[in-house]
Amino acid sequence: MMQIDVLSLFPEMFEGVLHSSIMKKAQDQQAASFRVTDFRDYSTNKHRKVDDYPYGGGAGMVLKPEPLFAAVESLTSTSESKPRVILMCPQGERFTQKKAEELAQEQHLIFICGHYEGYDERIREHLVTDELSLGDFVLTGGEVASMAMIDSVVRLLPDVLGNDQSAVHDSFSTGMLEHPQYTRPASFNGLDVPAVLLSGNHAEIDKWREEQAFQRTAERRPELLEEAPLTEHQQKLYQQWKRKID
C-alpha cells in the first residue's frame, strides 16, 4: 500500500478531495493511505509561527526550515522505505504523465505545500528529493497542485480504476493524446457515431483509433510527436504529416 503524506498549513482543504471518488476507492481497497499534517504542529514558537522575514530584505515572508525538517523526520521515522519528498514550487520540474507513472512506483510520497513568498533555500537543498510545478503559473499555495498530482498518481495504482486498461490508453500515457470516444445512442440529433466503431471489425477499429490519436495530437500538441513511441502505421502518418508541413 502506498503511503501519501501532505504537509500543509490548511489541511481542511483536502477533506473532500481525499475522501471522494477514486481517492476514497483507493483507500477502501487499501491501495493508498493518506495523511495530512499541519506543519504548524512542528513549530517551536509559542505562536506556532512557521515563517519569517527574508535575510537581506524584500517583500513577503519565507517558510522557516525547522518545522518542515522536523515534520519530515517524524513522518519518516517509521517508514520502511526512503520516501520521495516533493516540494510544490513554480520553479520546479513541470509535472507530466511520465512523472506520475514514475511516482506511482514508490511506496511513500511526502508533498510539501508552501505559502507566502517562498522557502528557505536549505529546504530545497537538503530536505526534498523533487521540486514539481503544475505549470507556468503561480498559485496561492501548493495545496491545489498537490491534489492534482496525488490524483494523477493514485489512479495509476493497481486495481484502483475499474479497468486497468483505462490508464494505459489515457492521453499522454502513450505519448500522444487519446483518440475520440463515443457511446450510445449511435445517432443523436443527426450526429452519427463513425461507422467503423459499429462494424465489429477490431483490426479496423484499432487502425482508426491510431489514426485519430495521431491526427488529434498533430492538430493540438504537435510537439509531442517528436518523442512519442509511434506504431508502424503512425510512423507512416508522421512522415506524411512532416512532408505536408515542411
Side-chain angles (χ1 to χ4, degrees):
M1 178 168 60
M2 175 183 281
Q3 174 66 44
I4 296 179
D5 281 294
V6 181
L7 293 173
S8 169
L9 297 175
F10 302 96
E12 65 277 6
M13 292 179 65
F14 291 85
E15 284 298 317
V17 173
L18 298 183
H19 298 285
S20 304
S21 187
I22 292 298
M23 298 301 101
K24 182 179 185 301
K25 181 180 178 182
Q27 292 178 90
D28 291 344
Q29 294 189 343
Q30 298 187 335
S33 176
F34 304 116
R35 181 170 50 186
V36 184
T37 301
D38 185 343
F39 59 89
R40 285 189 186 93
D41 295 342
Y42 292 89
S43 173
T44 57
N45 183 281
K46 65 179 181 179
H47 301 296
R48 304 176 76 217
K49 189 176 181 181
V50 296
D51 63 321
D52 212 330
Y53 295 104
Y55 280 125
M61 304 290 280
V62 176
L63 285 172
K64 293 163 61 67
E66 305 100 305
L68 286 169
F69 271 80
V72 169
E73 182 179 355
S74 176
L75 294 175
T76 58
S77 61
T78 58
S79 181
E80 296 180 357
S81 60
K82 186 176 181 180
R84 296 280 284 270
V85 182
I86 303 164
L87 192 69
M88 298 291 96
C89 178
Q91 299 177 24
E93 172 189 351
R94 185 180 294 185
F95 186 73
T96 63
Q97 184 69 18
K98 183 178 180 180
K99 178 62 70 171
E101 292 167 356
E102 176 188 325
L103 295 177
Q105 304 302 312
E106 300 289 338
Q107 291 185 325
H108 190 184
L109 303 176
I110 299 177
F111 290 85
I112 298 178
C113 303
H115 271 264
Y116 313 121
E117 186 63 23
Y119 304 93
D120 184 290
E121 192 66 16
R122 288 165 289 190
I123 295 169
R124 300 179 190 276
E125 293 179 350
H126 302 289
L127 182 62
V128 306
T129 59
D130 302 82
E131 292 185 49
L132 295 180
S133 170
L134 202 57
D136 295 339
F137 53 90
V138 179
L139 296 169
T140 303
E143 284 76 14
V144 172
S146 69
M147 292 176 195
M149 294 180 193
I150 290 168
D151 183 286
S152 182
V153 170
V154 170
R155 66 190 302 278
L156 296 175
L157 299 179
D159 302 322
V160 170
L161 296 180
N163 184 342
D164 288 341
Q165 289 300 305
S166 297
V168 173
H169 296 292
D170 281 341
S171 291
F172 306 110
S173 290
T174 61
M176 294 192 294
L177 303 183
E178 188 178 19
H179 55 76
Q181 299 276 16
Y182 295 87
T183 188
R184 294 180 178 84
S187 182
F188 172 71
N189 286 352
L191 305 173
D192 297 331
V193 171
V196 65
L197 297 179
L198 308 177
S199 68
N201 187 326
H202 295 292
E204 287 299 313
I205 291 172
D206 288 344
K207 181 180 178 182
W208 179 87
R209 286 175 170 168
E210 285 186 6
E211 292 173 350
Q212 291 296 312
F214 178 89
Q215 180 178 330
R216 178 161 289 189
T217 306
E219 292 173 351
R220 302 182 183 187
R221 296 290 303 277
E223 75 279 6
L224 295 177
L225 295 175
E226 298 299 327
E227 297 183 3
L230 304 178
T231 65
E232 184 178 347
H233 181 52
Q234 289 170 336
Q235 285 281 3
K236 294 178 181 178
L237 295 174
Y238 180 74
Q239 295 305 321
Q240 294 172 4
W241 175 73
K242 287 287 288 183
R243 287 194 293 270
K244 183 178 179 181
I245 65 171
D246 287 343

